[in-house]
Amino acid sequence: MSERVNEYPPVIGLEVHLQLATASKIFCGCANSFGASPNAQVCPVCLGFPGTLPVLNRQVLRFGIRVALGLNCRIQPRIVFHRKNYFYPDLPKNYQISQYDLPLGLGGFVQLKDRRIRIHRVHMEEDAGKLIHEEGEGGSLVDFNRTGVPLLEIVSEPDLTSPEEAYETLKTLKGILQYLEVSDCDMEKGSLRCDANVSLKTGGAMGTKVEIKNLNSFKGVSRSLSYEILRQGEVLDSGGKVLQETRLWDDVNERTLLMRSKEYAHDYRYFPEPDLVPFSVSENEIEAIRKDLPELPEARTRRFESGEKLPAADAKALTSVKANADYFEECLKAVPGTAKALANWILGDLSREVNERNLESVRDLSFPPGHLVELVKLIDSGRISGKMAKEVLVEALKSRQSPAAVVQARGLAQVTDLAVLKEAALLVVKEQPQAAADYQSGKEQALMFLVGQLMRRTKGAASPAVSQEILRELLKEVKG
Ligand SMILES: [Zn+2]
């Protein structure tokens, strides 16, 4: 496969649809929320009744500008909507209101570790409804709740050269979108959807582009691209021609299937939407939105590196998921100076639990920041060892108790009570007179043997450092 990739370098582009978390739909007052019963959130406007008129939801425009700025785009202040005409049962008007040749944002980029992926455009549009194919029912049902839900379409330039890079770009893009707080970015609910297109270059010439739809996860995007690169390579190898078409990703059988031969823009008979008058956004309004942009992942990574002295890889891994970075900062406020330890817990043991449970971030675990703070304090004060802390964490997650409660309930605390330790140390010295004498005559290793004995006697609950200190003290006294 690697040889073929070299022979036909892939050219990949992405198209992301982001559902905006506004209170109401883009052109009417219907609620924009997930999970209502079918056709409960509809009105004459989003159902396309004759004589109704759309009115643009101002919040959609603000969110759109926020995203376009967050992706480093130039804002096109002249707002013009177009009708994209096609027939489909989930589209009651038989056209979708979208933006065509004058999109909201142009010419942005997403910064990867060592590459910049250009963003071609960002535009606003309305969503269509949803067909429901009930099993055993003769036909299909249609739910118009989603009709008129505000979307942003984000289109990359075909800058990507591998499925892995597509995956990295999507992760980075999702991270930025989460920081902008304009959408829940939940792929399972369809708030974030992705299509990909891929062609293979032959002898330096661009190939024919194939679009892949039905991608429900970033891994699906990457796997479908790998499959398509192989498939198109085989077509070219056998002397065939790759056709311009749209293909569906079949996640179960890991292959793409022909959906339709690809349509062209002129098939849609785009024309300016006569019911929405073009207007301009003032420079002041754009600047106000720019000033209000949050700190984005890249800047936060730099701050964690320089301010908290975190290694670059840790800083980048933490900030790539906003909820994890927020969690980290919340903990750090309570236990300053423990940045590296906190990062280790969040990126290590806690992230492993997140992955095992198929969750999004450490926030979704039953382990609030206060619990991690408590765990770090228990280690720092010497009450438990680092090794014990790992067990405490597992138990705390299982029992939903705080780490201190787990330590208490299971009697896990290290014995740091000096009186108890001294008593045990005396017994050890009495039982091992030879080792004691050896140490006192200058054999340093003998002390480690005694420390081992003391730890055994206290069943591992005595901290090694304290044990050593007590034995040294004790043997000095005996000697003296
Ligand atoms: Zn409506």
Side-chain angles (χ1 to χ4, degrees), residues 150-187:
L151 298 179
L152 286 184
E153 184 174 312
I154 301 164
V155 185
S156 84
E157 294 287 355
D159 281 356
L160 304 153
T161 56
S162 71
E164 296 74 33
E165 211 168 52
Y167 183 85
E168 198 195 337
T169 303
L170 285 169
K171 275 202 79 171
T172 308
L173 178 64
K174 183 180 173 186
I176 296 169
L177 296 172
Q178 281 175 329
Y179 275 72
L180 291 168
E181 294 182 324
V182 293
S183 168
D184 62 17
C185 296
D186 189 334
M187 286 193 94

Side-chain angles (χ1 to χ4, degrees), residues 87 101 151 157 235 255 379:
F87 171 79
D101 52 354
L151 298 179
E157 294 287 355
V235 170
R255 60 183 175 176
I379 304 167

Side-chain angles (χ1 to χ4, degrees), residues 15 17 81-88 91 93-100 123 125-126 153 211 213 260 262-265 267-273:
E15 202 179 289
H17 284 93
F81 284 98
H82 274 71
R83 286 188 183 181
K84 180 180 180 180
N85 298 279
Y86 65 94
F87 171 79
Y88 203 69
L91 190 68
K93 299 197 295 275
N94 289 345
Y95 62 81
Q96 177 193 26
I97 303 179
S98 181
Q99 292 193 287
Y100 182 48
H123 75 249
E125 63 183 28
E126 59 176 341
E153 184 174 312
E211 193 173 337
K213 287 188 178 287
R260 55 173 184 246
K262 174 70 181 160
E263 65 288 355
Y264 294 86
D267 293 334
Y268 288 115
R269 320 307 297 174
Y270 278 96
F271 67 83
E273 166 60 68

